[in-house]
Amino acid sequence: MVEELEEQITERIKEVAAATQETIVADRRYFHAHPELSGKEVSTAGTICARLSRMGIPYERVAKTGIIATIAGTADDAYDADGAPRRRIALRADIDALPVLERTNLPYASENTGVMHACGHDCHIAMMLGAARILMQMRDQIHGEVRLIFQPAEEISIGSRMMIKAGALDGVDGIFGMHIWSEIEAGKISAAPGQRMANTDWFRVDIDGVSAHGSMPHKGVDAVVVAAELVVALQVLVSRDISPFEPLVVTVGEVHGGEARNIMAGSAYLTGTVRTWNKKTREAMPERLKHMIDRSAGAFGATAKLTYEAGNAGLANDAESAKRAQRSVAKLFGEEALCDYEGTLAGEDFAEYLDRVPGAFVFLGCRNPHMDAVHPQHSCYYRVDESVLAKGSMLSAQYAVDFLNE
């Protein structure tokens, strides 16, 4: 009897998803065409709220551009006599875009020059709204409460903390998140337990040299040359300082220096990120960077100051939650939809939620060479196979129902 009811629920999810698939894709294209940077998602948040209002879903605006919405179950045991939900599951979608100039030439390409949804957050918004539509049509099968978290500022690693401070996890028993992922074949899903994403930290190096006329380099200390040397030297941390068996990435993302072509720069700065897998390596990095930066700058007669900022810890799935996610995938798409994926040194501030409540974060594949959906996250050519978006909505809804029915 229980299995028969579960099958009916899954079939209902599939039916509603099929009916709303075009809307999910249309939503994704709208948000893709109107991206906004971290902390500036004003129009994005307003559009999300309009969609929620249309569905009759109550919501609260928090953290300036964040949204917390509630879908209340109507099953007999969804709430107790005092109005408290039997259980509460949170679903999260991030909503910010990146400072990337889009070069896809898609008909719905970014209309905001220099800003692009190059990481798939437009997909996440659309999939969450799709899940909301599914859940609203089967509230009688929801034995508790579903909380929808639309989170800003994931790309700068502060959004989840902002939402937690605003109460996003208050009273939550579990959480589920998903990332559309370019390294996995379209439609395949990775929902493994344990660590899935890296520790994410940030650094800035300010270099002080001595400016001089460009024709008289011997009378100054060229900060641009020092910066160039540091870009190369920092890779020694990866190639020589750490065991080849230990994952580590040091990336310099910005280099700034100089004011005119005939002036040797007296100052420069560079910024970057450090990605590590284990705690010991992470803890060692600030001192190792400082040592190398001080020595390298000193060799040129310059000085350099390192500013090191701890970001988010590595993202690790709770074992029980990951198994639940795998069962939800199997119900919807069969065991063959699950795939092996080793994880990534990309980071995710969803880790902050998992530090506080049990949950799972899964990767939904969107790679499809036939439509040039092969470019990595953060690429100016990034695109996705949109046929997988409804699957994302279905999985979020299935996980939520499964969690609350336990």
Side-chain angles (χ1 to χ4, degrees):
M1 187 67 178
V2 174
E3 289 184 5
E4 183 178 344
L5 179 58
E6 289 183 348
E7 289 177 3
Q8 290 174 358
I9 290 172
T10 298
E11 287 306 311
R12 181 60 178 153
I13 290 172
K14 291 180 179 180
E15 289 173 7
V16 179
T20 193
Q21 183 167 358
E22 290 185 6
T23 302
I24 296 170
V25 172
D27 277 346
R28 183 261 165 165
R29 293 185 178 189
Y30 175 84
F31 289 113
H32 188 87
H34 302 89
E36 294 175 298
L37 294 175
S38 303
K40 300 177 180 180
E41 311 92 336
V42 177
S43 177
T44 301
T47 303
I48 293 169
C49 290
R51 300 282 200 276
L52 293 171
S53 293
R54 197 177 303 161
M55 286 185 269
I57 300 174
Y59 62 84
E60 178 187 2
R61 298 289 296 267
V62 299
K64 294 184 178 180
T65 51
I67 303 160
I68 299 174
T70 302
I71 297 177
T74 59
D76 291 342
D77 61 346
Y79 291 85
D80 64 20
D82 296 324
R86 175 178 172 272
R87 298 185 88 191
R88 183 183 283 121
I89 179 69
L91 306 177
R92 174 271 208 169
D94 38 13
I95 67 174
D96 53 330
L98 288 156
V100 172
L101 179 63
E102 182 163 0
R103 300 183 185 278
T104 63
N105 295 318
L106 290 166
Y108 49 89
S110 173
E111 297 177 11
N112 186 358
T113 304
V115 183
M116 177 187 175
H117 270 297
C119 197
H121 296 188
D122 51 338
C123 300
H124 301 168
I125 302 168
M127 290 190 297
M128 178 78 99
L129 291 171
R133 293 186 186 95
I134 295 170
L135 291 167
M136 283 298 286
Q137 293 196 40
M138 49 190 309
R139 292 172 63 198
D140 59 331
Q141 296 298 329
I142 297 177
H143 297 260
E145 189 172 282
V146 181
R147 177 172 293 170
L148 310 179
I149 301 172
F150 292 91
Q151 178 207 304
E154 186 279 329
E155 294 293 357
I156 57 174
S157 300
I158 64 172
S160 59
R161 293 192 186 109
M162 292 163 55
M163 295 301 285
I164 291 168
K165 185 177 180 180
L169 292 184
D170 292 356
V172 166
D173 300 297
I175 191 166
F176 180 78
M178 186 184 312
H179 210 304
I180 198 95
W181 206 245
S182 60
E183 293 187 330
I184 297 176
E185 180 185 348
K188 296 291 186 178
I189 299 165
S190 171
Q195 188 162 344
R196 309 300 293 136
M197 303 184 82
N199 302 302
T200 302
D201 299 319
W202 312 94
F203 67 87
R204 172 175 169 137
V205 182
D206 288 281
I207 302 160
D208 284 323
V210 178
S211 63
H213 195 287
S215 68
M216 306 174 188
H218 58 293
K219 294 189 175 182
V221 177
D222 195 339
V224 168
V225 170
V226 179
E229 175 66 21
L230 286 177
V231 171
V232 176
L234 289 176
Q235 295 310 308
V236 173
L237 291 169
V238 180
S239 65
R240 293 295 181 267
D241 256 27
I242 301 297
S243 166
F245 294 102
E246 177 59 37
L248 171 65
V249 170
V250 178
T251 294
V252 175
E254 292 181 281
V255 180
H256 298 266
E259 297 177 355
R261 60 187 178 181
N262 62 342
I263 301 174
M264 190 167 69
S267 63
Y269 74 88
L270 51 87
T271 70
T273 185
V274 177
R275 306 298 170 97
T276 55
W277 199 254
N278 74 46
K279 183 179 179 181
K280 184 177 179 181
T281 302
R282 184 189 195 191
E283 291 174 346
M285 281 301 102
E287 187 58 36
R288 290 301 301 139
L289 258 71
K290 185 177 186 306
H291 177 82
M292 182 164 289
I293 289 165
D294 287 347
R295 297 300 188 276
S296 296
F300 288 85
T303 60
K305 177 186 176 183
L306 170 67
T307 303
Y308 200 90
E309 177 187 353
N312 303 117
L315 184 151
N317 282 337
D318 167 66
E320 183 178 345
S321 300
K323 288 180 182 178
R324 183 185 298 109
Q326 291 170 0
R327 290 194 297 269
S328 296
V329 170
K331 287 179 182 179
L332 287 164
F333 316 118
E335 296 279 354
E336 61 273 15
L338 290 166
C339 71
D340 291 326
Y341 178 63
E342 67 271 26
T344 172
L345 265 75
E348 241 288 353
D349 74 357
F350 191 84
E352 299 293 332
Y353 300 117
L354 293 179
D355 278 346
R356 293 162 175 81
V357 296
F361 189 81
V362 308
F363 297 102
L364 171 62
C366 65
R367 181 181 180 83
N368 187 339
H370 299 296
M371 56 181 62
D372 198 34
V374 297
H375 304 284
Q377 255 79 12
H378 294 208
S379 166
C380 61
Y381 300 107
Y382 181 75
R383 61 174 68 192
V384 305
D385 182 345
E386 293 177 322
S387 69
V388 308
L389 300 183
K391 290 186 175 182
S393 297
M394 293 161 63
L395 180 54
S396 292
Q398 182 75 62
Y399 186 94
V401 172
D402 289 346
F403 181 92
L404 295 176
N405 283 357
E406 290 177 359

